Amino acid sequence: MAGLHNAIIGYKQKAMNEIIHDADIVKALDPNNKNPEDLIYNNIFPYFRVPVVDTETRTYITICIDYPEEYHPENFMREICLKICIIVHQYEMETDWGATRLDYISAKVDDIFTNSRQYGRGKLRLLSSVESSLDETHRYREMLYVSNETQGENC
């Protein structure tokens, strides 16, 4: 299964790279940022990160990759899920862009990933986009994209 976990690592790195190359998302995450790569592990994480409630008033994007089906050698394809969570402190929700920071970043993320052919063997499609509260001070949106990928190493 080393190939599977290498794919997970590669997809997470690719997703983070695409996000830091979007100037609008970078500005929404940190308006004072001079080097978008500095956002990785500060605002963009390749795992689900829960903010420290008392001290952090930042905006985050977390990226997870899931393979919900177990491996079956007789199946040529398997489903790949790209899960992106945008987490915004309630004090950072208001913007001058005509939308909440959460909705603005979600729209920009969706522009990058919907119909992308960079993950798996087909176009990514948005399966769900759910907004909720993480705790008393953080709001989030979980966006779930799915595609298919070949299972075999020689495919």
Side-chain angles (χ1 to χ4, degrees), residues 84-128:
I84 298 178
C85 292
I86 297 116
I87 304 167
V88 180
H89 191 282
Q90 67 186 5
Y91 295 152
E92 290 199 335
M93 289 292 277
E94 188 176 349
T95 69
D96 295 330
W97 304 314
T100 67
R101 188 172 310 272
L102 181 61
D103 293 339
Y104 180 79
I105 294 173
S106 298
K108 295 294 180 180
V109 164
D110 196 48
D111 288 345
I112 293 171
F113 293 104
T114 292
N115 294 320
S116 172
R117 292 187 174 272
Q118 301 298 313
Y119 304 84
R121 290 270 185 174
K123 292 180 181 179
L124 276 179
R125 63 188 187 282
L126 182 64
L127 185 65
S128 66

Side-chain angles (χ1 to χ4, degrees), residues 128-132 140-143:
S128 66
S129 179
V130 178
E131 183 176 346
S132 191
Y140 77 96
R141 177 174 300 281
E142 180 180 276
M143 303 169 77

